[in-house]
Amino acid sequence: MTLKVKLATAAIWSSLISFGKGVVLEDAASLSSSYDFVIVGGGTAGNVVANRLTEDPKTNVLVLEAGPTDAGVLEIQVPFLCTHTTPQTPWDWNYTTVPQPGLEGASITYPRGHVLGGTSSVNCLVYTRGAKSDYDRYANVTGDKGWGWDSMFGYFKKSEKFTPPSDRHNTTDEFNPAVHGFNGFNSVSLPGAPTDIDGRFNDAIDELGGVFTRNLDTNSGEPLGFGWSQAVIDGPSGTRSSSSSGYLSPILRRPNLHVLVNAQVSRLISTGHQAGKGPVFTKVEYRLNGKGPLKTVQATKEIILSAGSINTPQVLTNSGVGNSQTLKDLNIAPQVDLPNVGENLSDHPIVTLAWLVNSNGTYDDFNRNATLQAEELQKWRTTRQGVFVNGISQHIGFARVPDFPNNPASGTDSPNYEIFVSNFLLGNTPPTGNFLSISAIMLTPGPSSRGSVRFNSSDPFAVPVIDAGLLVDAKTDVPLMREAVKSILHLVSAPAWKDYIIGPQSSSQPTLSSTDKEIDAFITANSRSAYHVVGTSSMSPKGDTKKGVVDPDLKLKKAGGIRIVDASILPFVPAGHTQAATYALAERASDLIKADHGL
Ligand SMILES: Cc1cc2nc3c(=O)[nH]c(=O)nc-3n(C[C@H](O)[C@H](O)[C@H](O)COP(=O)(O)OP(=O)(O)OC[C@H]3O[C@@H](n4cnc5c(N)ncnc54)[C@H](O)[C@@H]3O)c2cc1C
Ligand SMILES: *[C@@H]1O[C@H](CO)[C@@H](O)[C@H](O)[C@H]1NC(C)=O
Ligand SMILES: *[C@@H]1O[C@H](CO)[C@@H](O)[C@H](O)[C@H]1NC(C)=O
Ligand SMILES: *[C@@H]1O[C@H](CO)[C@@H](O)[C@H](O)[C@H]1NC(C)=O
Ligand SMILES: *[C@@H]1O[C@H](CO)[C@@H](O)[C@H](O)[C@H]1NC(C)=O
Ligand SMILES: *[C@@H]1O[C@H](CO)[C@@H](O)[C@H](O)[C@H]1NC(C)=O
Ligand SMILES: *[C@@H]1O[C@H](CO)[C@@H](O)[C@H](O)[C@H]1NC(C)=O
Ligand SMILES: *[C@@H]1O[C@H](CO)[C@@H](O)[C@H](O)[C@H]1NC(C)=O
């Protein structure tokens, strides 16, 4: 999704915007040699834990973040510019997958946030929680009721600060306040500027019936149906809410918190053995600014590993935690034999369809006309209104494929796919034309659609070998995705779009008269990742060392001193985008950690 226009004006504006009130450290001079907790990765989950643990002034915490500060970066702050934050930017790890057999052998770009806030600083802001049964399934497969919906619902609310939309329009009929939190740290909002397609979309849902029912709020745990998109935007300031802006910025002045950026952790070091526990890890080794010498810092209570679904397995591998034989082959001394480190990766495939439309009211020009973009940026800066307060989609819906044999969905009321609508071409913007795009995410990959994160070098800073496992389970995934594509084609056939849609953007795009075979060919040729990577350090029942990497309390199995808190612990990908789940799991993890240490 590279966009043609470079944000030439960004540097000028950046210097004008002050961000945050506290201090993010860029060198190690003022660090202590030891902290109660050292958090590896100042990303989505890591910053939640940093915030919650430092609520107690006697507990001190160090966050080590490999990437730079997000302070003053306009591409990160402006919701509409989310597609400019990756790939191949200073805030991206710039990963690529190995060739994906399910995608006709394509190697695909695989962005991850390399910046304070992690992937919450670079994602496209969509806020979805998934289905109740996704969480009840986590409870079932871990044997811990605390991961079930009834418990996690409280953590969704605890993390959330629902805010009025930027344009302060009346939102009474657009969401259900009863299922939201209003006092948390992560801001969520409804669209803050109207688009030309709002009326047509709502009319189309009412005209069609079938799976196209209305859902006042798809974040209630019962997502089936269509409604307004919610996004991690602070409405009043029209700004992205990331874990940095939301959870860290307001508390940076706490004297018991140190945040060091440009600090990449190589490995965790065990300094002793505890009976019945295995090695106990107490030291964290890292480098600053991408170069030596390696430094170490001590964690007296716990190391919290929050490096994300790709890099958490990397730090574990470097630390001798993984498949012992594989580690030996890499010349890494095995410390803890846990063969599932980096295995069982699960992700969502996404495919986008687009149409040329008879309107000048789409957002395409903002992605290709530098003058217009600069004008709109100035408007955003001075008024916090207009197109740039919106994310990539204002309309979203979830549907289930009826009577699908061995449906991999977590429960009978949970969806198989999501559809979201964009008022512009989501993808490379052509020089001319106005577009409508509708994307389908297949939310329930079949059991064999599992990838991995592996390593082919003992260099702790080497690039991981990533297999996203997309559409591997072709017998399950492709037919489910086909139903999603058919739903999109059905959606655009509604009378509401008459006189609006001119025709498909590409002649290879399926139509209602396409055969299943033609639709499937389009899917395998055009699907990419939604980047909802989970499962690489999965939870499994307490004491089960055959499956999984962490116990349900998120402590590393067969070892002491390490707890993993990030999206990698989820055994299945939820039926939605993954950040809401990540914030909620990090809130629960913080409570588990506090309880263990009497905080
Ligand atoms: C392009 C893109 C768009 C997305 N869009 C959406 C969306 O619209 N809605 C949604 O809900 N989800 C979306 N997601 C997914 C979602 O953002 C992630 O699932 C979630 O943010 C992951 O959080 P995390 O805490 O597990 O990892 P991260 O947020 O990635 O945090 C990991 C942190 O650790 C740091 N780190 C890594 N290795 C080291 C090391 N060795 N030493 C020190 N620090 C290290 C990283 O730099 C990073 O800051 C998107 C993802 C991508 C990539
Ligand atoms: C990713 O690529 C960009 C652009 O080339 C570069 O600035 C950035 O440093 C790279 N990220 C990493 C982690 O190397
Ligand atoms: C959880 O397990 C119970 C008991 O086996 C079962 O009835 C229920 O359907 C399961 N729920 C999910 C979501 O897996
Ligand atoms: C907002 O809309 C609702 C429902 O349409 C209406 O009942 C309410 O009076 C409106 N509120 C305001 C402040 O206009
Ligand atoms: C779009 O703008 C052009 C130039 O201003 C105008 O001629 C045309 O009628 C407009 N089209 C629509 C559909 O509004
Ligand atoms: C780009 O936008 C500017 C400002 O709105 C406008 O004057 C100009 O005509 C546009 N350029 C093109 C090529 O459409
Ligand atoms: C190791 O994996 C990386 C990432 O996929 C790749 O770029 C590199 O060529 C591989 N090296 C070897 C020796 O296989
Ligand atoms: C992969 O995850 C699934 C779902 O939790 C589980 O059934 C399976 O056993 C896992 N495989 C391994 C090797 O852990």
Side-chain angles (χ1 to χ4, degrees):
M1 259 191 259
T2 40
L3 293 157
K4 294 265 159 64
V5 173
K6 276 268 167 280
L7 205 63
T9 42
I12 306 163
W13 299 128
S14 298
S15 59
L16 299 176
I17 289 178
S18 77
F19 179 83
K21 302 181 212 76
V23 195
V24 171
L25 304 171
E26 306 233 355
D27 70 65
S30 46
L31 292 199
S32 311
S33 58
S34 160
Y35 292 80
D36 293 318
F37 296 92
V38 176
I39 299 176
V40 178
T44 315
N47 293 335
V48 174
V49 180
N51 177 314
R52 294 302 181 186
L53 294 183
T54 55
E55 282 173 348
D56 169 24
K58 292 188 298 296
T59 301
N60 56 54
V61 172
L62 170 67
V63 177
L64 295 172
E65 165 53 44
T69 171
D70 57 331
V73 180
L74 264 191
E75 288 90 333
I76 290 175
Q77 293 168 352
V78 178
F80 185 74
L81 297 179
C82 72
T83 56
H84 296 244
T85 58
T86 66
Q88 298 287 331
T89 64
W91 321 292
D92 184 9
W93 284 89
N94 306 330
Y95 294 139
T96 308
T97 68
V98 297
Q100 297 290 288
L103 309 179
E104 298 185 353
S107 284
I108 60 171
T109 56
Y110 219 55
R112 293 278 102 194
H114 175 260
V115 59
L116 201 57
T119 307
S120 74
S121 288
V122 301
N123 69 21
C124 266
L125 302 99
V126 180
Y127 182 81
T128 58
R129 295 169 177 171
K132 283 180 181 173
S133 54
D134 291 327
Y135 299 87
D136 292 340
R137 179 165 63 177
Y138 297 148
N140 274 9
V141 302
T142 61
D144 177 352
K145 279 201 180 74
W147 293 114
W149 174 264
D150 288 346
S151 153
M152 295 305 287
F153 183 47
Y155 288 112
F156 283 118
K157 287 185 169 178
K158 182 177 186 181
S159 73
E160 184 183 24
K161 181 182 176 186
F162 204 93
T163 61
S166 307
D167 62 5
R168 303 298 205 284
H169 73 270
N170 185 342
T171 55
T172 304
D173 299 327
E174 299 183 358
F175 81 117
N176 175 10
V179 302
H180 292 279
F182 293 82
N183 300 306
F185 285 98
N186 180 34
S187 296
V188 175
S189 196
L190 285 156
T195 74
D196 275 10
I197 56 173
D198 295 343
R200 289 180 199 274
F201 173 83
N202 286 319
D203 290 348
I205 299 305
D206 293 339
E207 285 162 4
L208 289 168
V211 299
F212 297 101
T213 53
R214 291 266 203 142
N215 187 338
L216 173 65
D217 197 318
T218 55
N219 277 323
S220 65
E222 291 167 6
L224 294 179
F226 287 71
W228 292 93
S229 293
Q230 296 164 16
V232 290
I233 294 170
D234 174 63
S237 67
T239 310
R240 171 198 294 269
S241 174
S242 69
S243 76
S244 173
S245 71
Y247 275 89
L248 219 48
S249 178
I251 60 133
L252 271 178
R253 282 202 185 281
R254 286 182 188 164
N256 55 335
L257 174 64
H258 279 165
V259 178
L260 182 64
V261 292
N262 306 311
Q264 184 177 4
V265 170
S266 42
R267 59 187 183 127
L268 315 179
I269 300 168
S270 69
T271 45
H273 233 82
Q274 209 170 309
K277 249 191 184 172
V280 180
F281 291 81
T282 57
K283 277 190 171 169
V284 180
E285 182 189 79
Y286 67 99
R287 66 174 184 180
L288 265 179
N289 301 314
K291 51 183 193 286
L294 294 171
K295 301 166 184 286
T296 58
V297 60
Q298 198 178 5
T300 56
K301 290 194 164 76
E302 283 189 38
I303 298 164
I304 310 297
L305 185 50
S306 300
S309 292
I310 305 301
N311 297 97
T312 281
Q314 180 166 39
V315 173
L316 290 173
T317 301
N318 297 340
S319 312
V321 180
N323 182 317
S324 291
Q325 190 52 51
T326 312
L327 291 166
K328 279 181 202 150
D329 294 346
L330 285 173
N331 282 320
I332 297 171
Q335 302 282 329
V336 184
D337 184 33
L338 281 174
N340 293 319
V341 168
E343 299 300 307
N344 235 355
L345 182 156
S346 186
D347 191 6
H348 283 151
I350 181 172
V351 74
T352 300
L353 281 73
W355 293 265
L356 189 66
V357 298
N358 181 30
S359 162
N360 289 337
T362 69
Y363 289 172
D364 299 285
D365 284 343
F366 299 100
N367 281 327
R368 65 184 159 213
N369 179 336
T371 314
L372 186 65
Q373 198 178 64
E375 285 172 6
E376 199 60 30
L377 202 53
Q378 173 71 346
K379 180 171 174 184
W380 178 85
R381 209 174 63 83
T382 53
T383 68
R384 303 304 170 124
Q385 298 290 325
V387 172
F388 279 20
V389 305
N390 274 347
I392 57 165
S393 172
Q394 286 69 51
H395 306 282
I396 196 166
F398 297 84
R400 188 176 169 87
V401 178
D403 307 322
F404 192 80
N406 301 315
N407 194 325
S410 56
T412 48
D413 296 326
S414 72
N416 291 113
Y417 59 87
E418 172 192 317
I419 287 175
F420 69 85
V421 180
S422 304
N423 182 38
F424 62 100
L425 188 70
L426 191 60
N428 288 320
T429 312
T432 59
N434 291 87
F435 300 93
L436 166 74
S437 359
I438 308 186
S439 307
I441 299 180
M442 204 286 290
L443 300 167
T444 57
S448 63
S449 286
R450 294 273 177 169
S452 59
V453 181
R454 294 181 187 164
F455 302 90
N456 60 10
S457 163
S458 60
D459 173 0
F461 305 111
V463 176
V465 183
I466 304 170
D467 176 3
L470 290 168
L471 300 184
V472 171
D473 201 330
K475 286 204 170 66
T476 306
D477 299 0
V478 176
L480 288 174
M481 199 109 181
R482 188 201 303 144
E483 291 304 313
V485 168
K486 284 183 180 175
S487 277
I488 292 177
L489 296 171
H490 195 49
L491 177 56
V492 297
S493 75
W497 304 105
K498 196 176 169 286
D499 302 332
Y500 187 76
I501 292 180
I502 296 170
Q505 186 239 340
S506 145
S507 57
S508 72
Q509 183 170 299
T511 65
L512 273 177
S513 56
S514 300
T515 62
D516 284 359
K517 221 177 139 194
E518 286 164 347
I519 299 177
D520 293 357
F522 175 80
I523 288 166
T524 52
N526 293 286
S527 290
R528 291 296 178 257
S529 168
Y531 314 125
H532 297 162
V533 196
V534 305
T536 53
S537 313
S538 177
M539 296 190 277
S540 71
K542 192 165 180 63
D544 182 344
T545 53
K546 298 246 163 27
K547 274 194 302 193
V549 173
V550 295
D551 281 344
D553 58 8
L554 307 186
K555 287 180 182 163
L556 185 69
K557 292 174 185 287
K558 298 163 84 173
I562 302 178
R563 208 178 298 239
I564 300 180
V565 186
D566 58 33
S568 71
I569 61 116
L570 296 174
F572 293 88
V573 64
H577 305 243
T578 37
Q579 68 180 337
T582 307
Y583 280 113
L585 76 85
E587 285 282 12
R588 174 160 195 250
S590 302
D591 277 357
L592 294 173
I593 297 165
K594 284 178 172 180
D596 263 13
H597 297 275
L599 302 173

